[in-house]
Amino acid sequence: MNEEKKSEKFHISLRSFVAVTMIFLLVISLAAVSSIVLFFSYRSTDQNVIFMNENIAGRIADRMLDENYDKAHFDAYVEEASIGQEGRILAIGRDYSIIADSESLAENRNDYLYIVSRDVIDVMTGKKASIKTVKNGDSTVIIPVKDDKGVIRGAVLSVASTARVNAIHEQILHVNVVALFIVLLLGVLYALFVSRVAVRELNSVNEQIGNIAEGNFDTEIEVRGFQEVRYLADNYNNVLGKLDSIDDARQEFVSNVSHELKTPMTSMKVLAESLVQNENASADDYREFMGDIIDEVDRETKLINDLLTLVKTDKRNSELNLEEHSIGELIEIIIKRVSPIAEARGIEIQYNAYKDVIAEVDEVKLLLVISNIITNAIKYNVDNGWVRITLNADAKFFYIKVADSGIGIPDDAKDKVFDRFYRVDKARSRSTGGTGLGLAIARNIIFSHGGTIKLYSEFGNGTTFTIKFPISQKYRVSDQKTGESNEKE
């Protein structure tokens, strides 16, 4: 009960699942793309600020090395450059004295002193080639001033504000948020549309299935929409067709069983009534009529036994008593049993075993298969004809082939010979004592062993049955549908 409640609790429609999944993937994708774009945007902007700052510092360093160096012009350039980047620029001499400070110049002060810091010392001594950082809203660049011989003559410390860059970043962020909201809104609407379209035809199929469930099996599902829905509709229509065929077969089977069981009973009733109504019947008449009644009882008994055997050998219910047996010896046992019947009609039985086969089979049931096939080859043969039986094998399977020179099977009957109660020649079947269940029983036994059976026949030119059995159950034919289709080739 708890499992059922749990299952109902987490029940969700396919449409909701598709919509939620698409929205989730959309949000994750947009978040990932936005993060990547912002990351590279910030990184690229910071690099651009450092590059511009470094470029200004480099130009100041070049002016410090100019032989025509003019202090007034130099101070004006430093002040103008610092204003342009909203920061501070210091020109530092070889003795760490501050040659020019944009902050003092802007306030008309003349308090140039010395600067001693770890970063400046590292650059002036050549320990570091340069220093470039972005921290606390400022971009700081410290570069050495070198002459043509590579001797360090001083340094330039340039600090540029990143306020404008931050403002650009904020604008980018705002635009990105708006764009994300618009894309997300469109994505949600599209996800809802796709989820609706995706399940619309499926809901239509379910609605039609619901109508069919009311009992109208004659209505097929309309095949339309997406490929998967078409495939579902086709498969369901195929299932309906098979169910219809099974229902027809069931009704036909019930009808056949009723007819087959009724016929002997009717015959016995007629014979008994004839005796009762014939007051002058002699002892010989009674003896003759009772003999006929006994024949009908035997016929009824054989039919009932075959029906019981058919049920027991049904592939879904059959239990196999598997043991290793010599297949050749089993075939020889059957040949000895049927030889008198064959000899009475001048039919020659030829048997060739190409290999000595030891296989894992149910002895009783395999004997029943071989007996049915060989007996049919004799019953439906011509007088003075022949029956050829061969046994062969490979690494996984053994093969029994039974060919005869008999009357053959018409093309329109090949698909029906394995059906229950089907007889190609009904008159001859009754005269030979057949019930029309032998091949159905044989097929069930073959399938229960994991084998297949094939039929080759040409009307008037004999019939050949080829039976394929696994030597061991680990070599079973897994696809019984293949066996069913091959049996009628």
Side-chain angles (χ1 to χ4, degrees):
M1 182 63 69
N2 291 334
E3 293 182 357
E4 292 179 358
K5 290 183 178 179
K6 185 177 180 181
S7 177
E8 292 177 359
K9 182 179 179 181
F10 292 98
H11 180 73
I12 184 173
S13 68
L14 178 59
R15 179 178 177 179
S16 300
F17 177 77
V18 172
V20 171
T21 301
M22 290 187 65
I23 294 172
F24 174 76
L25 292 177
L26 179 64
V27 171
I28 295 297
S29 301
L30 288 176
V33 171
S34 299
S35 299
I36 294 172
V37 169
L38 288 175
F39 172 77
F40 283 104
S41 175
Y42 276 97
R43 184 175 180 182
S44 175
T45 306
D46 291 344
Q47 289 177 348
N48 287 336
V49 172
I50 292 174
F51 175 77
M52 293 174 63
N53 199 5
E54 185 179 16
N55 187 40
I56 292 174
R59 282 184 286 176
I60 293 174
D62 292 339
R63 286 178 180 268
M64 290 175 64
L65 294 172
D66 190 355
E67 294 179 356
N68 299 320
Y69 175 81
D70 182 79
K71 184 69 170 60
H73 286 88
F74 180 76
D75 289 346
Y77 183 79
V78 169
E79 184 179 1
E80 182 180 355
S82 66
I83 294 173
Q85 61 183 16
E86 300 179 354
R88 183 180 183 183
I89 299 176
L90 283 78
I92 305 169
R94 183 69 186 88
D95 58 352
Y96 295 95
S97 63
I98 299 177
I99 299 174
D101 183 355
S102 62
E103 187 176 284
S104 298
L105 293 172
E107 297 177 0
N108 294 318
R109 300 199 317 267
N110 191 17
D111 51 355
Y112 301 161
L113 301 174
Y114 293 88
I115 182 170
V116 180
S117 72
R118 174 57 58 189
D119 290 338
V120 173
I121 293 173
D122 288 343
V123 172
M124 292 281 282
T125 58
K127 188 175 181 180
K128 292 183 179 180
S130 63
I131 292 176
K132 308 169 189 177
T133 61
V134 176
K135 187 177 180 181
N136 298 327
D138 291 324
S139 167
T140 302
V141 173
I142 305 175
I143 63 172
V145 179
K146 295 182 180 181
D147 60 16
D148 294 339
K149 296 180 180 180
V151 178
I152 297 176
R153 299 295 183 183
V156 177
L157 188 156
S158 177
V159 179
S161 174
T162 59
R164 284 185 294 180
V165 174
N166 291 335
I168 295 174
H169 284 167
E170 289 181 1
Q171 292 179 357
I172 293 175
L173 181 60
H174 291 159
V175 172
N176 189 59
V177 169
V178 173
L180 282 177
F181 177 77
I182 295 173
V183 173
L184 181 60
L185 179 61
L186 295 175
V188 169
L189 294 176
Y190 182 72
L192 294 175
F193 170 76
V194 169
S195 63
R196 180 176 180 274
V197 172
V199 301
R200 180 176 57 193
E201 298 300 334
L202 186 60
N203 288 335
S204 176
V205 170
N206 284 331
E207 184 178 350
Q208 294 179 70
I209 291 176
N211 293 333
I212 293 172
E214 297 296 328
N216 186 9
F217 294 100
D218 296 330
T219 303
E220 288 191 349
I221 295 177
E222 185 178 355
V223 179
R224 65 182 184 185
F226 292 104
Q227 181 178 354
E228 291 77 7
V229 177
R230 289 174 176 269
Y231 186 66
L232 174 64
D234 281 334
N235 283 341
Y236 196 83
N237 286 335
N238 290 335
V239 171
L240 284 178
K242 291 185 179 297
L243 287 175
D244 190 50
S245 299
I246 291 173
D247 189 58
D248 291 342
R250 179 185 61 80
Q251 293 181 9
E252 183 180 359
F253 177 71
V254 172
S255 176
N256 287 336
V257 169
S258 300
H259 176 73
E260 294 294 335
L261 291 176
K262 182 179 178 181
T263 301
M265 296 296 293
T266 302
S267 298
M268 286 187 283
K269 181 180 179 181
V270 170
L271 291 170
E273 287 177 347
S274 298
L275 285 176
V276 171
Q277 294 173 2
N278 188 0
E279 298 178 356
N280 299 322
S282 63
D284 292 336
D285 292 333
Y286 272 94
R287 196 174 290 108
E288 179 183 353
F289 275 65
M290 292 304 296
D292 293 338
I293 291 175
I294 290 172
D295 291 339
E296 293 299 331
V297 171
D298 290 341
R299 180 180 166 191
E300 187 93 358
T301 302
K302 186 178 188 311
L303 178 60
I304 293 172
N305 289 336
D306 282 351
L307 284 171
L308 292 174
T309 303
L310 183 66
V311 173
K312 291 179 181 179
T313 58
D314 188 279
K315 61 181 178 181
R316 292 167 296 182
N317 303 319
S318 179
E319 294 182 2
L320 301 177
N321 182 23
L322 298 173
E323 294 180 355
E324 289 190 347
H325 293 280
S326 170
I327 306 303
E329 291 180 0
L330 297 181
I331 294 175
E332 289 176 355
I333 290 173
I334 298 301
I335 292 176
K336 289 179 181 179
R337 291 179 184 175
V338 301
S339 290
I341 303 174
E343 291 174 358
R345 297 181 55 201
I347 297 174
E348 179 186 7
I349 299 178
Q350 302 173 3
Y351 169 57
N352 291 316
Y354 295 99
K355 290 187 177 180
D356 185 14
V357 180
I358 304 296
E360 191 178 73
V361 296
D362 186 315
E363 177 186 10
V364 175
K365 293 181 179 178
L366 182 59
L367 285 172
L368 185 57
V369 171
I370 299 172
S371 176
N372 274 329
I373 301 297
I374 296 178
T375 301
N376 280 348
I378 296 172
K379 286 182 179 179
Y380 301 100
N381 211 324
V382 296
D383 292 341
N384 302 316
W386 49 262
V387 175
R388 294 171 184 162
I389 306 165
T390 59
L391 172 65
N392 207 342
D394 55 28
K396 297 181 179 180
F397 301 94
F398 69 88
Y399 307 87
I400 301 174
K401 181 181 290 186
V402 179
D404 62 60
S405 59
I407 59 176
I409 300 173
D411 291 338
D412 60 351
K414 292 179 182 178
D415 293 337
K416 304 175 183 177
V417 293
F418 292 96
D419 293 345
R420 299 165 181 179
F421 293 110
Y422 183 80
R423 301 181 181 89
V424 177
D425 186 345
K426 294 181 174 56
R428 187 163 187 172
S429 297
R430 294 184 186 281
S431 66
T432 55
T435 62
L437 296 174
L439 288 180
I441 294 171
R443 183 181 62 172
N444 282 355
I445 294 173
I446 292 169
F447 284 175
S448 66
H449 278 78
T452 60
I453 181 169
K454 296 180 181 180
L455 163 65
Y456 304 89
S457 183
E458 183 178 349
F459 187 62
N461 291 320
T463 302
T464 300
F465 284 94
T466 301
I467 305 169
K468 176 182 178 181
F469 266 88
I471 291 178
S472 173
Q473 286 300 294
K474 64 181 179 180
Y475 300 130
R476 288 175 61 92
V477 177
S478 59
D479 188 358
Q480 289 298 334
K481 291 182 180 179
T482 302
E484 291 179 5
S485 62
N486 288 343
E487 74 190 10
K488 299 173 183 178
E489 293 179 2

